[in-house]
Structures are given as structure tokens and as C-alpha cells.
């Protein structure tokens, strides 16, 4: 909907558009776009030396989208891993999550996927809002950090601000972490990495998966991933035959058997301060731990589905 104001006899004036109590424009015209159900209240105010003119509109949006699962794949950039370039480590595997459950891997630390809903997922008061399915076991969690975004500019793109959902280990995270992966030679060798803290290592290959672990669609010889590093304190390698990676208390993906429920109200800004989003349109999941699990291979998050809890039956 486009609302516009016309001057009478070329008179000069200032304009103000107020949507649901928030000033959104000072132009003479305003385009209303919203994914939220109504009613919405739009107030127009014009001022000049002759006084003030006010007009109030009530906009009712009654439509509702009914697919609880994410329906858009906006980005898929996994880190190297034993399932990359195989069945669950391809673009097609990431697309398997759209509109239903599927399965994809994010590879080692920093690998991520960005997904979008066909509606705005509202922040329900005192309730979890989103469920993320993975394939963890009771003693083998591979946690991913969760980020959410509201489509503030209403352009359908994930180009606004990401907010991290603060999980139980938030105070123990390294939030300014980055890792650079290098294509090995030969391509089927271990994949070297270095981080911005002076550490280095490799994503080790194994005899179970002999294909190249470096994503074959990435043409650069190196690429860097950035985000939050979770602590590896939940990993127990004391028994090499039975390595454990125990789940965290809450707030991560591929962490809990049966699915991980996420509360949008736990979103924080770059300074770690809580933000009030009211609802989100996009979600980003990123492998959170840099760890070699011995014969099990690298710790790598798998995602089997992402859904709006309020729409699940």
C-alpha cells in the first residue's frame, strides 16, 4: 500500500508517518509493507505555520502463512569436513530443509547455513519460539550457535543485523573468533586451518570418507569464517573408543535429542545486551566448537529441520 500527501496551492509543510507508535518516515509518501498480521495503525501528520493536520489509518492484514518450516535458503557455506562434497554436504542437502525436514552438515567450526521463513516468527511471551532438529545422541552433541535477524528494511534479503541467541555457555564463548581454511594439495589430504588467536591445526581425513573435504564449489584457495567459539569443556576423550561430547544446557542447535527449542527473547547485540525483536524472519546456524573427535572425525553440526513452534501441530 502506498500513502501520499498532496500540497494545496503549493504550500510548504513537514510530514511525519507513524506506524504502530514508531516514526518511520518524513517523506511526503510512505509505502506500507508488513509480514505481521494486523491491525496496524498508521498516523500521518503535516505541520506548517498554519497549524497541524493529522490523519489516522487502520490497516487490517488477515492473511496467514501456514508452513511452519523454513522455506528459503539464502546462504550455505560449510567448513571442511568428512561429509562435505558427499550426500549431506552439498547445496542439494541444504535445500532439503525447505518446507520440511531433511538433513545437511555444516562441517567443522564456522560452517553455516542461512535460512528464511515465509512469515515472521513472533516472539511469544515466556515461551520458546523456534525448534531446530539435528541428529545428536545423548552423549554426542555437536552444538551450533544460533543467530536471528528481523527483515527491518522489508526487502526479503538477510542484509540487516544478526543477533546471537545467548545460550547457556554465552559467558564462556569467544565472540571475536575467525578461522581460515586452506585447500590442501593433494585435494584429498587433511585440510589445514589457522585462527586469529595464533592457533593452527587440520581437519583430519579418515578411511570412512575418502573424498575431498574442502568444499569443491569454493574456488578460492583459502576462505575465512567468523563467529562465536563455544568452549570444548563438554568433550571427554579419555576413552578413545567412546568419545563423548555432552550437550549444553540450552540455546544451541544439534545439541539435544528430540530438537532444540530457541527463545527469540534471548537474542543479544554485539555488546552482549538483550534486544527486543518482537519477531524474526531469518535464522543462521553455525558450527560452534573446533574439535577433533578422533575416529569420529571433526565435530560438525548437522541440521535436520527448522520450524516455528507456534505453527507445529
Amino acid at each position: 500500500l502506498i500513502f501520499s500527501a498532496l500540497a494545496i496551492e503549493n504550500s510548504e509543510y513537514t510530514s511525519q508517518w507513524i506506524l504502530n507508535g514508531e516514526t518511520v518516515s518524513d517523506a511526503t509518501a510512505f509505502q506500507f509493507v508488513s509480514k505481521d498480521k494486523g491491525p496496524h495503525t498508521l498516523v500521518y501528520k503535516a505541520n506548517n505555520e498554519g497549524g497541524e493536520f493529522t490523519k489516522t489509518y487502520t490497516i487490517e492484514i488477515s492473511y496467514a502463512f501456514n508452513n511452519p518450516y523454513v522455506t528459503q535458503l539464502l546462504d550455505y557455506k560449510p567448513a571442511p569436513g568428512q561429509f562435505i562434497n558427499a550426500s549431506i554436504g552439498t547445496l542439494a542437502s541444504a535445500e532439503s530443509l525447505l518446507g520440511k525436514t531433511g538433513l545437511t552438515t555444516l562441517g567443522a567450526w564456522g560452517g553455516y547455513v542461512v535460512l528464511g521463513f515465509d512469515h515472521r516468527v513472533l516472539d511469544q511471551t515466556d515461551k520458546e519460539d523456534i525448534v531446530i532438529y539435528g541428529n545428536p545422541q545423548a552423549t554426542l552433541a555437536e552444538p551450533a550457535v544460533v543467530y536471528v535477524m528481523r527483515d527491518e528494511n522489508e526487502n526479503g534479503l538477510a542484509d540487516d543485523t544478526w543477533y546471537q541467541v545467548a545460550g547457556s555457555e554465552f559467558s564462556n564463548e569467544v565472540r571475536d573468533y575467525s578461522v581460515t581454511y586452506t585447500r590442501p594439495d593433494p585435494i584429498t589430504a587433511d585440510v589445514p586451518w589457522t585462527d586469529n588467536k595464533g592457533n593452527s591445526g587440520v581437519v583430519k581425513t579418515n578411511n570412512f570418507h575418502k573424498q575431498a573435504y574442502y568444499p569443491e564449489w569454493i574456488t578460492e584457495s583459502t576462505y575465512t569464517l567468523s563467529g562465536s567459539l563455544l568452549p570444548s569443556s563438554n568433550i571427554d576423550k579419555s576413552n578413545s573408543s567412546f568419545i563423548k561430547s555432552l550437550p549444553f544446557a540450552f540455546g544451541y542447535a544439534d545439541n539435544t535429542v528430540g530438537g532444540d527449542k530457541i527463545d527469540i527473547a534471548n537474542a543479544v547485540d554485539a555488546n552482549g545486551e538483550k534486544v527486543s525483536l518482537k519477531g524474526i524472519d531469518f535464522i543462521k546456524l553455525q558450527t560452534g566448537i573446533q574439535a577433533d573427535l578422533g575416529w569420529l572425525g571433526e565435530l560438525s553440526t548437522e541440521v535436520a529441520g527448522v520450524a516455528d513452534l507456534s505453527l507445529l501441530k
Side-chain angles (χ1 to χ4, degrees):
L1 296 174
I2 298 177
F3 297 84
S4 61
L6 297 176
I8 298 176
E9 297 179 352
N10 296 319
S11 60
E12 295 185 359
Y13 61 95
T14 60
S15 294
Q16 182 182 25
W17 298 92
I18 304 169
L19 179 62
N20 298 329
E22 179 181 354
T23 299
V24 290
S25 177
D26 59 3
T28 56
F30 174 69
Q31 182 176 8
F32 173 82
V33 179
S34 179
K35 295 180 180 180
D36 294 337
K37 287 185 179 181
H40 299 272
T41 301
L42 178 65
V43 177
Y44 173 72
K45 292 183 178 181
N47 289 273
N48 64 13
E49 59 185 12
E52 179 178 279
F53 169 81
T54 301
K55 175 69 174 179
T56 300
Y57 303 89
T58 299
I59 307 166
E60 182 69 49
I61 298 179
S62 59
Y63 61 81
F65 299 96
N66 57 11
N67 195 327
Y69 292 93
V70 289
T71 59
Q72 304 171 71
L73 174 64
L74 294 107
D75 197 6
Y76 175 58
K77 197 167 190 177
Q82 62 187 316
F83 300 112
I84 302 302
N85 304 319
S87 58
I88 64 169
T90 64
L91 180 61
S93 72
E95 291 173 338
S96 76
L97 303 176
L98 303 184
K100 55 182 177 60
T101 56
L103 188 63
T104 194
T105 186
L106 305 183
W109 184 88
Y112 67 84
V113 64
V114 177
L115 302 158
F117 293 88
D118 66 2
H119 62 284
R120 180 158 290 155
V121 181
L122 301 180
D123 180 13
Q124 305 289 326
T125 303
D126 298 326
K127 292 182 180 179
E128 288 100 351
D129 310 293
I130 298 167
V131 61
I132 304 168
Y133 301 108
N135 64 351
Q137 301 174 31
T139 59
L140 188 61
E142 298 180 288
V145 178
V146 180
Y147 301 86
V148 292
M149 178 186 291
R150 183 183 175 98
D151 189 7
E152 297 286 357
N153 59 16
E154 300 286 357
N155 68 352
L157 303 176
D159 58 0
D160 291 286
T161 302
W162 285 114
Y163 298 98
Q164 182 176 331
V165 175
S168 58
E169 306 308 304
F170 184 72
S171 62
N172 300 316
E173 296 174 7
V174 178
R175 299 188 66 203
D176 60 342
Y177 191 63
S178 64
V179 170
T180 298
Y181 294 99
T182 300
R183 180 187 287 109
D185 184 15
I187 191 62
T188 53
D190 297 344
V191 181
W193 61 263
T194 58
D195 68 16
N196 62 338
K197 305 299 181 182
N199 303 305
S200 62
V202 295
V203 178
K204 294 180 180 179
T205 59
N206 58 55
N207 291 327
F208 302 105
H209 306 279
K210 298 184 178 181
Q211 84 286 355
Y213 287 14
Y214 192 94
E216 61 186 7
W217 61 89
I218 293 180
T219 58
E220 296 83 6
S221 59
T222 66
Y223 69 110
T224 300
L225 300 171
S226 300
S228 293
L229 174 69
L230 298 176
S232 56
S233 54
N234 62 331
I235 297 174
D236 180 0
K237 297 170 64 175
S238 59
N239 182 346
S240 61
S241 298
F242 187 52
I243 295 172
K244 298 178 182 180
S245 176
L246 300 177
F248 294 129
F250 66 88
Y252 305 97
D254 200 19
N255 182 59
T256 306
V257 175
D260 295 284
K261 295 179 179 179
I262 302 298
D263 190 348
I264 294 171
N266 289 331
V268 297
D269 63 17
N271 296 317
E273 301 295 329
K274 280 202 170 188
V275 294
S276 178
L277 295 177
K278 298 183 181 178
I280 62 97
D281 302 281
F282 308 112
I283 187 167
K284 175 181 178 180
L285 309 174
Q286 184 173 42
T287 300
I289 300 177
Q290 181 73 275
D292 172 23
L293 301 182
W295 66 273
L296 293 172
E298 80 290 338
L299 185 148
S300 58
T301 296
E302 276 75 56
V303 183
V306 183
D308 179 347
L309 275 170
S310 71
L311 296 181
L312 288 179
K313 302 297 183 182

